[in-house]
Amino acid sequence: MDILTTYGFMLIVTAAVVGFLMAWGIGANDVANAMGTSVGSKALTIKQAIFIAMIFEFAGAYLAGGEVTSTIRKGIVDSAYFVDTPEILVYGMIASLLAAGIWLVIASYLGWPVSTTHSIVGAIVGFAAVGVSADSVEWGQVVGIVGSWIITPAISGFLAYLIFMSAQRLIFDTDTPFANAKRYVPFYMALAGFVMSLVTIKKGLKHIGLHIGNMEGYLIALAIAVAVGVVGKLYINRIQIDQEANRKMQFASVEKVFAILMVVTACCMAFAHGSNDVANAIGPLAAVVSVVENHGEIASKAKLAWWILPLGAVGIVMGLAIFGHRVIQTIGKGITHLTPSRGFAAELAAATTVVVASGTGLPISTTQTLVGAVLGVGMARGIAALNLGVIRNIVVSWVVTLPIGAALSIMFFFMLKGIFSA
């Protein structure tokens, strides 16, 4: 307890620095989930994507990141093991942030889209299992997270395949693709409006104290969907093309409509991502601040100090601006060739999977969800449409994320313990 009194300020400053590094890594790596498909399909240039993502990620993280956060993310560690030695929890959280942050920076540099959630989970499991006790880890939660490596990409891939194939069947494989686009695209727009509203309600607004019930949430989303569908119908009806234009020209016009739709979905995904995943950086940081300021008392929830959310939001934006282009290229161009309609199918499928997962409590990685969706769109065109070398690297990076995070965290934990206990 004396350690927290003596070194409290130094521990908080250290936690703030490594928390910023973690947020930087989230910005560099995870934001490609929202923007990669838009860039790959040429709906946006990479500069436009980064600019839009910076605005919506910052807004999501700062406005809807939450006043209170769980001190131990995902309930993977039993806090009872730290009651007598709260400084051990402080060392562990700092070590976890540093370990996850470093791994995210390395992965982002290599252009690997890894899971920021799994990075911090692996790091926390590592220090807790080795530095405290294997019994302190809720292994059932860890097994669920490992299972999500297979489940979430499979769900989103299947949904993306269905959405893309329906668009092919109803619009692109017909004799009059533009006329059919006028008929069916408003329904895709309404579906996108419904799913994106639910993502924002479930993943974003709950953080700012707007606790909208399930029924109200669905009704609001349904109203927005109808409005989006009607506006979309009016907009598309105003687009005039030469009825004698060949099918290639009609395809180009249809893709332009999907491109506009993609930009809107990307903005919603960026806002929801900023509001949700900033907790991976600020949760452990809030835990350190809470334990130090409360003289060793460990609460399940920590009220955020005024400076924590802006720190996380700025970190995400800086990571995105400096390193974000590498992972955006992998998602958008490395896995398969994307057009606006394919990218839209992938993004809508990923968003739908996020809604399903948050409703059922399924542990989820937004990165793996989107990669699965892009794979699903590629598979719809045959295995030859996929870059298997890039996919192999991505899968390897997923598998090594937990052990690398754990190993780095264990090393940093014992270093910190040695420094402050000396």
Side-chain angles (χ1 to χ4, degrees):
M1 212 67 86
D2 291 341
I3 290 170
L4 295 182
T5 308
T6 309
Y7 299 111
F9 179 73
M10 192 183 299
L11 287 166
I12 287 175
V13 170
T14 307
V17 171
V18 295
F20 182 83
L21 174 69
M22 177 67 184
W24 198 96
I26 291 171
N29 201 287
D30 243 19
V31 176
N33 299 335
M35 291 295 156
T37 50
S38 301
V39 172
S41 64
K42 295 188 170 62
L44 291 171
T45 66
I46 200 147
K47 286 183 180 176
Q48 288 169 336
I50 288 174
F51 181 72
I52 289 171
M54 282 165 64
I55 293 169
F56 283 91
E57 287 279 340
F58 185 88
Y62 187 62
L63 299 176
E67 292 183 356
V68 176
T69 187
S70 302
T71 49
I72 301 175
R73 288 284 283 155
K74 307 293 180 191
I76 50 172
V77 178
D78 185 353
S79 59
Y81 283 82
F82 304 98
V83 172
D84 296 326
T85 53
E87 67 274 11
I88 296 296
L89 179 62
V90 170
Y91 302 153
M93 288 301 170
I94 293 174
S96 299
L97 284 170
L98 182 56
I102 286 174
W103 170 237
L104 286 175
V105 170
I106 292 169
S108 301
Y109 178 76
L110 295 170
W112 292 346
V114 297
S115 168
T116 55
T117 306
H118 293 181
S119 302
I120 194 69
V121 164
I124 291 173
V125 166
F127 99 81
V130 175
V132 184
S133 163
D135 295 333
S136 69
V137 178
E138 303 284 356
W139 292 106
Q141 296 274 10
V142 178
V143 170
I145 288 163
V146 172
S148 73
W149 289 347
I150 301 163
I151 296 166
T152 51
I155 293 171
S156 63
F158 178 66
L159 288 173
Y161 178 87
L162 290 181
I163 294 167
F164 176 66
M165 290 307 289
S166 71
Q168 283 290 110
R169 191 74 48 85
L170 295 171
I171 299 170
F172 291 99
D173 289 346
T174 63
D175 294 330
T176 54
F178 191 75
N180 284 319
K182 281 188 169 186
R183 186 177 304 139
Y184 295 115
V185 166
F187 291 102
Y188 288 109
M189 289 180 161
L191 179 59
F194 181 73
V195 172
M196 288 300 161
S197 302
L198 278 182
V199 168
T200 308
I201 289 165
K202 287 184 173 291
K203 288 288 193 183
L205 299 183
K206 67 177 184 180
H207 293 298
I208 52 174
L210 283 175
H211 295 290
I212 298 170
N214 271 345
M215 184 55 73
E216 292 98 318
Y218 283 108
L219 287 173
I220 292 168
L222 196 58
I224 292 171
V226 171
V228 169
V230 170
V231 171
K233 178 79 174 166
L234 293 172
Y235 170 75
I236 292 172
N237 284 343
R238 289 177 60 188
I239 301 174
Q240 298 297 327
I241 66 165
D242 181 3
Q243 295 304 316
E244 302 303 314
N246 61 28
R247 291 177 80 237
K248 190 174 180 182
M249 281 292 293
Q250 292 191 36
F251 282 161
S253 300
V254 173
E255 290 290 4
K256 282 178 185 174
V257 175
F258 277 108
I260 295 164
L261 204 49
M262 274 202 72
V263 174
V264 177
T265 57
C267 293
C268 292
M269 284 290 277
F271 181 84
H273 176 265
S275 69
N276 196 58
D277 278 28
V278 70
N280 287 329
I282 66 172
L285 171 56
V288 172
V289 174
S290 174
V291 171
V292 171
E293 290 185 346
N294 293 319
H295 311 293
E297 185 186 328
I298 300 169
S300 61
K301 297 275 185 181
K303 190 155 179 67
L304 297 181
W306 65 268
W307 52 270
I308 292 180
L309 262 181
L311 181 90
V314 171
I316 284 178
V317 165
M318 286 188 66
L320 167 66
I322 296 167
F323 254 17
H325 63 280
R326 293 174 180 267
V327 181
I328 285 177
Q329 293 282 8
T330 301
I331 291 270
K333 297 182 180 176
I335 299 171
T336 191
H337 175 66
L338 291 175
T339 60
S341 57
R342 294 170 196 161
F344 169 72
E347 201 139 285
L348 184 56
T352 306
T353 308
V354 168
V355 170
V356 170
S358 64
T360 57
L362 189 75
I364 192 169
S365 158
T366 46
T367 303
Q368 292 171 354
T369 304
L370 192 88
V371 169
V374 174
L375 282 174
V377 169
M379 286 292 286
R381 296 162 53 233
I383 199 81
L386 297 171
N387 187 330
L388 297 179
V390 170
I391 294 166
R392 184 195 64 233
N393 290 342
I394 290 171
V395 172
V396 168
S397 72
W398 288 357
V399 172
V400 300
T401 290
L402 276 177
I404 285 179
L408 288 173
S409 176
I410 292 163
M411 182 176 73
F412 294 139
F413 172 73
F414 284 111
M415 285 170 61
L416 287 165
K417 197 174 174 186
I419 291 167
F420 286 101
S421 301

